[in-house]
Amino acid sequence: EDEKQRRGKEVRLAEERLREVAVISQDAQREEKRWRAQEDAVQKTYQETREEYREVQSQAQQGRSDVTRLHSECARAYDELPEVYRRRINPAPDWVKTDYPSLQDMDQLRADAAGHAAARQRWQTAEDVLKQWNKLKTQESEKLVTLERLQGSLPANREGVRRTYSDLSLQLDALDKELKTKRSQIKDADKDIDRLSRERDQAKDHVKNIDLQLKDKGRDRHYAEQAIAVNQKALPASWQTAAETAGSADYNQWDKERADLEGSGIEQREEELQTVRVNRDALRRSVEEHEVRQKEFPVEARRNPAEIKAELERAREAENLRKQDLSRTERQLGLLKGYQEQREQIGADFIRWEGELSLYKTLAELLGKNRLQLYLVRQAEKEVVEYANAVLDRLSGGQLYLKLKGEADGEVGSDRALDLEAYNRITGERPINVAFLSGSQKFRVAVSLALGIGQYASRQHRPIESVIIDEGFGCLDSEGRQVMIQELQNLRSQMRCILLVSHQEDFAEAFSDGYHFVLEAGATKVSRFQR
């Protein structure tokens, strides 16, 4: 019981201490909140002061750049002015104290300049006329010198020259007529020569043909004599004497008898007789051979020829069937060999096509959007973002910068090109979706990204020569417009042409050359301004 009371007393003391500690903790938390609020206020004041300092510094830098640019433009324009206008402005110009030209002077000068344009056009026309007149005057002088030189080279007796010219002309006509006559005679002589040449060639050809015919006849006679001699030698001895002493009548008689015998078919019958004699001798030898072979056959092998013929016919029929089966089998074998060759060719083609398919798949994978294309796009994206951040840093006063989506985690995993995230150096390192940027920030990001892409593309082949910005300045405040004007002024040294379209007069006033469009009475009036 004592221990219980002691323990209860300790618990009450501990609870009191806990309440005291809780009160102290609450006081400390309130004090911490108060100090945190003061720290946030001081931090906010510091950030506002820093932003104000940056704005003032940017305005001062812009002012210094404008002063330098305007000073150089005024100095250049002053150097281009005539001496009389220089004295009107100031012999030693101080642009702050200079009050010439005023608005009235500018109006008067514009009116004078409008008249000067017409006068300059007339002066240019007069200059062209003067140049043409000088050119014609020079040509006239050259022609006169040539005429005098030709007149000096002419003979003194002009009538004699004319008579000589007339006589020579008549002689020339006579010679032309005589020459035409001679040419006609020569043509006729050439024709006769051609005709006689053709006749001579024809005669030569005829003589040559006759010579060839005589040679052919001589050869035929020689061959005939040789044939007669050979045939006489082949005749029986009793006929040779008669053949040597025979005359034309005997030859004719013999020739008639030969024709009669040939007509009666004696030669054919003699040939048939010779053939029959040869066949008879062959049959006799065959019969003798068969009789000898017959004696060699055993008794049991001697059978009826009709039975042997029947067996032979059956064997021939079986042989024909086997030949047909063999022919079908050979055709099937050839067909199967063709199928086998086709299968082997198809298998080889399949293996080759499969290898090419694998190669093409590997090549397509390596060259596809997830390999080489993705690598090239990522390399280009990094350089584009670097260029864009360099421009965006100036346009946003060092606040905004861009990163590829996922780049902060060490890898770029988006499938889209230029999938970007915006970061604000003041508010923190967490990315900001472009949709949540303000209008001026979106415009600055768009301009920076466009210029970054242009700079990257121009680095590959040729530099960018011009840029066009259509509207987009209405979302900028006055400070943003001044920064954008300064950036565009900086671009003038890098490009040949910068074309801007804007409805804001204060923005247009910042540039020295342009066109002003005004709608009047349903029509657009265009006027150019140069400052």
Side-chain angles (χ1 to χ4, degrees):
E1 188 67 23
D2 293 338
E3 184 65 21
K4 184 178 180 181
Q5 290 178 359
R6 186 181 63 81
R7 295 287 181 90
K9 184 177 180 180
E10 289 178 355
V11 169
R12 287 192 296 272
L13 292 175
E15 290 177 351
E16 290 177 359
R17 287 196 301 270
L18 178 61
R19 285 192 293 270
E20 292 175 357
V21 170
V23 172
I24 294 171
S25 176
Q26 291 176 358
D27 294 339
Q29 288 178 357
R30 285 194 296 270
E31 188 69 18
E32 182 182 5
K33 289 181 179 179
R34 184 174 63 83
W35 283 109
R36 284 187 180 276
Q38 290 181 3
E39 182 184 5
D40 293 340
V42 171
Q43 185 69 23
K44 184 177 181 181
T45 304
Y46 169 73
Q47 292 294 341
E48 291 175 354
T49 305
R50 184 178 180 182
E51 291 178 1
E52 185 178 357
Y53 171 73
R54 286 182 177 177
E55 291 176 359
V56 172
Q57 188 178 13
S58 177
Q59 292 176 0
Q61 181 67 26
Q62 178 67 28
R64 286 193 293 272
S65 300
D66 292 341
V67 168
T68 303
R69 177 177 56 81
L70 294 174
H71 188 275
S72 61
E73 291 179 358
C74 291
R76 185 172 62 253
Y78 180 78
D79 293 336
E80 295 174 355
L81 289 175
E83 185 62 30
V84 60
Y85 290 106
R86 292 185 186 179
R87 289 195 299 270
R88 289 184 185 182
I89 296 173
N90 198 341
D94 185 0
W95 308 118
V96 179
K97 298 179 180 179
T98 300
D99 57 356
Y100 180 85
S102 62
L103 293 179
Q104 292 79 9
D105 296 331
M106 289 297 293
D107 295 335
Q108 183 63 34
L109 290 173
R110 289 192 182 96
D112 295 341
H116 290 165
R120 188 179 295 105
Q121 183 67 27
R122 292 195 298 274
W123 175 76
Q124 185 66 33
T125 305
E127 285 285 338
D128 295 340
V129 173
L130 179 60
K131 290 180 181 178
Q132 186 68 20
W133 184 82
N134 291 330
K135 183 178 179 181
L136 294 174
K137 195 68 176 176
T138 303
Q139 293 178 358
E140 181 184 8
S141 301
E142 293 176 355
K143 298 297 182 183
L144 290 175
V145 172
T146 305
L147 182 60
E148 291 176 358
R149 181 175 54 79
L150 293 174
Q151 287 178 353
S153 62
L154 290 175
N157 188 6
R158 298 181 181 179
E159 293 298 330
V161 173
R162 289 193 180 93
R163 286 194 300 272
T164 304
Y165 175 75
S166 300
D167 295 339
L168 293 175
S169 298
L170 293 174
Q171 292 178 7
L172 182 62
D173 294 337
L175 290 174
D176 287 338
K177 292 179 181 178
E178 185 177 358
L179 182 61
K180 289 180 180 178
T181 304
K182 295 295 183 181
R183 287 176 178 173
S184 177
Q185 293 176 359
I186 291 172
K187 287 182 179 179
D188 295 337
D190 291 337
K191 289 180 180 179
D192 293 338
I193 291 171
D194 293 337
R195 180 175 57 78
L196 293 174
S197 298
R198 287 194 297 272
E199 291 177 358
R200 182 195 63 188
D201 294 337
Q202 291 176 0
K204 286 182 178 181
D205 294 338
H206 184 65
V207 171
K208 189 181 293 185
N209 292 331
I210 291 174
D211 291 339
L212 293 174
Q213 291 176 2
L214 290 175
K215 290 180 180 180
D216 293 338
K217 295 296 184 181
R219 284 195 299 271
D220 293 341
R221 180 179 179 180
H222 178 68
Y223 293 152
E225 290 177 353
Q226 290 180 353
I228 290 171
V230 171
N231 291 327
Q232 283 180 356
K233 292 179 180 181
L235 291 174
S238 59
W239 290 13
Q240 290 182 0
T241 303
E244 292 176 354
T245 59
S248 299
D250 296 330
Y251 281 118
N252 292 331
Q253 181 64 31
W254 293 343
D255 187 63
K256 182 178 179 182
E257 291 178 359
R258 181 184 61 79
D260 294 338
L261 291 173
E262 289 178 354
S264 62
I266 191 64
E267 290 183 356
Q268 183 177 2
R269 283 184 289 176
E270 196 272 338
E271 291 177 357
E272 291 177 356
L273 179 61
Q274 292 293 335
T275 303
V276 169
R277 288 175 179 173
V278 172
N279 293 333
R280 183 194 61 186
D281 295 338
L283 288 173
R284 284 178 180 176
R285 289 192 299 271
S286 178
V287 168
E288 291 176 356
E289 291 176 357
H290 283 85
E291 287 177 353
V292 173
R293 292 178 62 185
Q294 182 179 6
K295 293 179 181 179
E296 296 176 356
F297 291 160
V299 178
E300 60 274 8
R302 299 178 182 180
R303 297 174 59 188
N304 189 359
E307 295 178 357
I308 296 174
K309 287 182 179 179
E311 290 182 1
L312 184 61
E313 290 295 332
R314 289 194 295 272
R316 287 176 179 173
E317 291 178 358
E319 181 183 8
N320 291 331
L321 294 175
R322 297 297 180 273
K323 287 182 178 180
Q324 292 176 1
D325 295 338
L326 179 62
S327 177
R328 286 194 299 271
T329 305
E330 288 177 350
R331 287 196 299 270
Q332 292 179 357
L333 179 61
L335 187 62
L336 292 175
K337 287 183 178 179
Y339 289 157
Q340 183 179 7
E341 292 177 357
Q342 292 180 2
R343 181 174 181 179
E344 291 176 355
Q345 182 65 31
I346 292 173
D349 293 341
F350 177 76
I351 295 173
R352 178 170 55 84
W353 292 337
E354 191 174 22
E356 291 181 358
L357 178 61
S358 176
L359 179 62
Y360 290 150
K361 284 183 177 180
T362 304
L363 186 61
E365 182 180 359
L366 293 176
L367 297 179
K369 66 176 184 178
N370 294 326
R371 290 294 184 90
L372 180 59
Q373 295 181 19
L374 182 61
Y375 173 77
L376 295 177
V377 169
R378 295 308 180 212
Q379 295 297 320
E381 285 177 337
K382 292 179 181 178
E383 296 189 29
V384 168
V385 172
E386 289 179 2
Y387 288 131
N389 281 329
V391 179
L392 183 60
D393 187 70
R394 295 191 296 269
L395 295 181
S396 64
Q399 289 186 1
L400 296 177
Y401 64 95
L402 300 174
K403 281 187 178 181
L404 294 170
K405 190 174 182 180
E407 187 178 6
D409 299 332
E411 60 180 9
V412 181
S414 177
D415 293 334
R416 297 188 304 168
L418 288 177
D419 192 3
L420 301 174
E421 294 176 336
Y423 289 83
N424 193 320
R425 291 187 176 91
I426 297 176
T427 59
E429 292 296 328
R430 296 188 63 184
I432 304 173
N433 195 307
V434 178
F436 297 111
L437 295 176
S438 63
S440 63
Q441 289 176 334
K442 288 180 182 179
F443 179 71
R444 291 184 177 95
V445 169
V447 171
S448 303
L449 188 58
L451 293 178
I453 293 174
Q455 290 178 7
Y456 173 77
S458 65
R459 183 180 60 82
Q460 303 296 324
H461 298 286
R462 58 177 298 177
I464 293 178
E465 296 181 353
S466 62
V467 63
I468 301 174
I469 302 178
D470 185 8
E471 293 298 341
F473 306 106
C475 60
L476 301 175
D477 53 11
S478 59
E479 180 186 355
R481 285 197 294 272
Q482 291 299 323
V483 175
M484 182 58 66
I485 290 170
Q486 180 61 36
E487 184 64 24
L488 295 174
Q489 293 291 353
N490 295 334
L491 288 176
R492 292 177 62 185
S493 61
Q494 305 176 13
M495 299 184 181
R496 295 177 57 184
C497 175
I498 300 176
L499 182 61
L500 307 175
V501 181
S502 177
H503 287 87
Q504 297 175 346
E505 294 293 339
D506 59 340
F507 191 83
E509 291 293 333
F511 301 96
S512 59
D513 190 5
Y515 292 89
H516 190 215
F517 296 83
V518 179
L519 185 63
E520 293 183 358
T524 302
K525 181 180 179 182
V526 183
S527 60
R528 184 176 180 180
F529 61 85
Q530 288 182 327
R531 304 182 182 89

